[in-house]
Amino acid sequence: MAFPLRFLSSLLLCLLALLLHGAAVTSGCFSMEREALLDFKAGIHDTHNRLSSWVGQDCCAWEGVICGATTGHVVMLDVRNTNITDDWALRGERMNSSLLALSHLEHLDLSFNDFSGIRMPEFVGSFKKLRYLNLSFTSFMGGIPARLGNLSSLYVLDLSYALHFTSHVDNLDWLSHLTSLKHLDLSGLKLTGTPDWFSSVNMLPSLQVLSMSSVGLDTIPASVVHVNFTSSLTVLDLSINNFDSTLPKWLWNISGLTHLGLTQMKELYMSDNQLTGNLSGWLEQMTNLITLDLSYNLFNGSMPSSSVGKLSNLTELYLGGNSLGGAISEVQLENLTSLQVLDLYDNSITISIGQSWVPPFQLRLVDLTKCQLGPQFPEWLQFQTQIIELFLKDCKIAGTMPAWFGNISSSTITYLDLSNNQIGGKLPSSFKFTKLETLSLRSNRFDGGLSSSICQWTYLKFLDLSNNKLFGEIPKRIGDLAGLNNLNLSRNHLQGKIP
């Protein structure tokens, strides 16, 4: 049978191609890819011979090299240093573009090796099929090449501590092109010169894990119209930064968030949100906190008294406006030597403190409204000499006001609210509150006449003595209080003329 010449030519070309392909892969490795790997090895100082298996023709059998089952091409290069506590790191002396021969590479891991003598290679941005890139703890010199933005197929990018400590990042604009990215770790990079970092990160709609610990951030944008990863993000680590602003409300709209790392932000503001759950299991880990504001949320459960006791650096504690229960004793407060603000407003917390306890702190603001404080008047307050605002409203305090109460913070206190208790006896005539602006003793059991000492509080703006058992006349000099704009003496037994 005769075959057309054109058919024979095509057949010969096909056979030749098959022979050449066979010659290239008969050893289980494409020669061009093997040479590229050997060139990479030649630029590495391998103290412990970790790449000792990189000999022979079959590069697919070398340690850290994986080839595709169907194509035979190298798809993974993983030379991660797993002995990070020892001096087993590969040390980079050079890294040229010969690795580009690994055109089918999908996974590249050089982590925990030492490349401090060279720059991060720009050609890495040419691995079009790369899905996983891990350069963490490699200490490359210089910055991050913008060509990494060409890796549009990338799912995982770990650049944590990838730069030498003397290097910094100018911008993150290239990040916005990595629209397939699910895991991003930039921890340990110097981002102090990249104020618009959030705009780039916000262009990643599939992001599930974002780690930016210890990068020098001081602000988080609050006025963001739309956050693209609200429905996808599950892990957010912003720990060990220098935030000096309130955390934005959009942060709490991330519905799938399972882990939030904010360790060592020394100030944590989460007030006026819809946060739920209890405070146990995580609060005690934030031992560097100076200010904690979780007020006006939906937290419930018992007050994590043991957790609070571990926050020894705390100066301001705001837990008001939640639904917390349980008890706090002097044991939990003993370590809070720097505490200045104690706000437990509108919680059902029992304050179980011994009458002989001397606090190690000096408070400026105390708000224990609706906490179980009585029936005895809290004797430990007599040692507080710097109080500016004191709210003990609806605390089930009974009995008479102790003699020492008129002396506490007499030169500093401006707000005093003891309303809705069962405090009886005569109004103390020895009050010497020189800066008092607001006084509410409403709904108690005070009796006797109005003390003329009230007329000496020249800063007084608000006075509510309603619903008591006061009798007698209104002091004539009460009109001398020129700043008084709210006076409530209703539901008493006062007599005589109004001055």
Side-chain angles (χ1 to χ4, degrees):
M1 175 183 261
F3 293 97
L5 184 61
R6 191 184 329 180
F7 175 80
L8 290 173
S9 299
S10 299
L11 182 61
L12 287 172
L13 287 173
C14 289
L15 289 172
L16 181 61
L18 287 172
L19 288 172
L20 289 174
H21 177 77
V25 297
T26 48
S27 60
C29 175
F30 286 89
S31 58
M32 184 179 295
E33 295 181 349
R34 179 174 60 252
E35 293 304 319
L37 291 170
L38 290 175
D39 189 68
F40 168 77
K41 179 183 178 181
I44 295 295
H45 185 60
D46 185 5
T47 307
H48 290 273
N49 294 318
R50 287 174 45 205
L51 305 182
S52 59
S53 67
W54 287 29
V55 293
Q57 297 298 306
D58 188 5
C59 67
C60 295
W62 296 352
E63 184 175 354
V65 179
I66 302 295
C67 296
T70 56
T71 66
H73 288 287
V74 175
V75 294
M76 176 185 292
L77 176 58
D78 185 349
V79 291
R80 176 186 178 93
N81 176 22
T82 57
N83 297 283
I84 57 177
T85 56
D86 299 321
D87 186 26
W88 281 60
L90 301 177
R91 305 196 182 278
E93 298 175 354
R94 65 178 177 86
M95 191 184 300
N96 62 40
S97 58
S98 61
L99 274 183
L100 284 177
L102 308 180
S103 58
H104 292 259
L105 200 63
E106 298 178 4
H107 183 115
L108 178 59
D109 191 340
L110 305 178
S111 59
F112 291 94
N113 290 296
D114 186 2
F115 296 95
S116 57
I118 61 177
R119 297 182 65 85
M120 187 178 293
E122 290 199 13
F123 67 80
V124 173
S126 298
F127 291 117
K128 299 294 186 180
K129 296 185 178 181
L130 206 62
R131 294 174 175 240
Y132 179 98
L133 177 60
N134 190 343
L135 301 180
S136 62
F137 291 89
T138 46
S139 296
F140 281 103
M141 298 296 291
I144 298 174
R147 287 182 62 185
L148 291 188
N150 295 332
L151 303 176
S152 57
S153 299
L154 208 60
Y155 284 174
V156 175
L157 177 60
D158 190 344
L159 297 179
S160 57
Y161 298 91
L163 297 181
H164 192 267
F165 69 90
T166 59
S167 304
H168 66 278
V169 179
D170 293 324
N171 69 76
L172 294 175
D173 294 345
W174 52 271
L175 264 180
S176 60
H177 302 290
L178 307 182
T179 53
S180 299
L181 208 60
K182 298 179 183 295
H183 182 118
L184 175 62
D185 195 339
L186 302 177
S187 299
L189 302 182
K190 287 188 177 182
L191 300 182
T192 50
T194 55
D196 200 27
W197 64 271
F198 185 81
S199 297
S200 299
V201 173
N202 196 31
M203 297 297 290
L204 308 176
S206 302
L207 201 61
Q208 298 175 1
V209 176
L210 175 60
S211 297
M212 299 184 69
S213 172
S214 189
V215 296
L217 297 178
D218 53 15
T219 59
I220 302 180
S223 55
V224 179
V225 177
H226 180 70
V227 180
N228 285 321
F229 47 75
T230 297
S231 59
S232 62
L233 201 68
T234 59
V235 175
L236 177 60
D237 187 357
L238 299 175
S239 60
I240 319 179
N241 279 292
N242 304 313
F243 293 123
D244 191 22
S245 60
T246 302
L247 292 177
K249 290 190 176 182
W250 59 258
L251 186 62
W252 316 118
N253 295 328
I254 304 178
S255 56
L257 201 63
T258 59
H259 174 85
L260 176 62
L262 297 171
T263 309
Q264 294 186 9
M265 288 168 48
K266 295 183 178 180
E267 299 180 355
L268 179 58
Y269 299 93
M270 296 183 177
S271 63
D272 294 284
N273 283 287
Q274 302 293 314
L275 301 177
T276 59
N278 57 60
L279 305 182
S280 301
W282 61 274
L283 186 58
E284 62 269 22
Q285 301 177 35
M286 307 182 76
T287 54
N288 291 314
L289 276 181
I290 293 177
T291 299
L292 174 62
D293 189 350
L294 303 178
S295 57
Y296 300 99
N297 278 288
L298 303 175
F299 290 111
N300 53 31
S302 296
M303 176 71 182
S305 52
S306 59
S307 301
V308 172
K310 294 179 181 179
L311 307 181
S312 58
N313 295 316
L314 209 60
T315 61
E316 299 181 4
L317 176 61
Y318 299 92
L319 297 178
N322 284 284
S323 300
L324 297 170
I328 288 183
S329 69
E330 59 265 37
V331 176
Q332 286 78 43
L333 298 176
E334 193 69 47
N335 293 328
L336 308 184
T337 56
S338 301
L339 195 64
Q340 298 178 18
V341 174
L342 179 60
D343 180 0
L344 304 178
Y345 163 81
D346 202 15
N347 286 287
S348 300
I349 299 172
T350 299
I351 311 297
S352 181
I353 294 179
Q355 293 294 86
S356 61
W357 183 61
V358 179
F361 45 71
Q362 286 292 328
L363 299 174
R364 293 184 294 104
L365 185 151
V366 183
D367 194 342
L368 302 178
T369 297
K370 293 190 177 180
C371 292
Q372 176 64 53
L373 198 60
Q376 292 179 298
F377 214 93
E379 292 287 329
W380 58 271
L381 280 176
Q382 66 180 300
F383 303 105
Q384 302 300 298
T385 60
Q386 298 177 18
I387 294 180
I388 298 175
E389 302 178 37
L390 176 61
F391 303 91
L392 302 180
K393 178 182 177 181
D394 199 6
C395 290
K396 297 181 173 60
I397 300 174
T400 59
M401 190 175 290
W404 54 260
F405 190 80
N407 297 322
I408 68 164
S409 311
S410 59
S411 62
T412 59
I413 197 164
T414 59
Y415 291 85
L416 176 59
D417 190 344
L418 302 178
S419 57
N420 288 30
N421 284 291
Q422 301 295 318
I423 305 173
K426 299 185 183 302
L427 287 177
S429 58
S430 58
F431 279 2
K432 298 178 181 178
F433 297 134
T434 56
K435 294 185 179 180
L436 192 64
E437 297 180 9
T438 297
L439 174 63
S440 180
L441 302 179
R442 176 175 54 87
S443 299
N444 276 286
R445 295 183 176 180
F446 288 106
D447 56 21
L450 285 175
S451 173
S452 59
S453 61
I454 293 176
C455 305
Q456 302 174 13
W457 304 338
T458 55
Y459 289 92
L460 201 61
K461 298 177 181 178
F462 180 98
L463 177 61
D464 189 347
L465 301 178
S466 63
N467 196 23
N468 278 283
K469 299 180 179 180
L470 301 174
F471 57 84
E473 296 184 347
I474 301 174
K476 293 180 180 180
R477 290 186 54 203
I478 201 167
D480 294 340
L481 298 175
L484 192 64
N485 54 45
N486 193 311
L487 174 63
N488 191 347
L489 301 176
S490 63
R491 301 182 66 185
N492 279 289
H493 304 292
L494 299 174
Q495 301 172 334
K497 296 181 179 181
I498 297 178

